[in-house]
Amino acid sequence: LCDVDRNVFPEVAKAVEAAQGSAPSLEGDLRRVLDDKTIDALVVATPDHWHALATVWACQAGKHVYVEKPASHNVWE
């Protein structure tokens, strides 16, 4: 799990652990997640203004990406 707000980790990590049977790794910096060669895919569920950048970074890092709409703010993105 990656979120800049570490206050969300305890509750969300507990729910993920209950669902999958093991505790998730926790990271506050997306760049470290993208550098991790053991991570194959990313689900981008950020505020709208971060969708495009997180998706582009993930693609550049060779990750599979699922991104929620909107994927960008304009045609250029």
Side-chain angles (χ1 to χ4, degrees):
L1 297 175
C2 180
D3 199 307
V4 296
D5 183 359
R6 291 192 172 269
N7 293 321
V8 302
F9 282 152
E11 183 179 341
V12 176
K14 186 176 180 180
V16 170
E17 184 172 5
Q20 73 179 14
S22 62
S25 297
L26 306 173
E27 180 56 61
D29 188 336
L30 175 61
R31 295 168 297 185
R32 289 199 176 121
V33 173
L34 297 174
D35 288 340
D36 187 339
K37 301 299 180 198
T38 66
I39 296 178
D40 298 322
L42 215 69
V43 174
V44 178
T46 60
D48 292 349
H49 65 281
W50 270 103
H51 285 188
L53 186 56
T55 300
V56 169
W57 283 353
C59 290
Q60 289 174 335
K63 310 296 184 191
H64 297 282
V65 182
Y66 174 83
V67 61
E68 298 175 342
K69 293 178 186 176
S72 67
H73 282 280
N74 56 51
V75 175
W76 181 83
E77 289 181 341

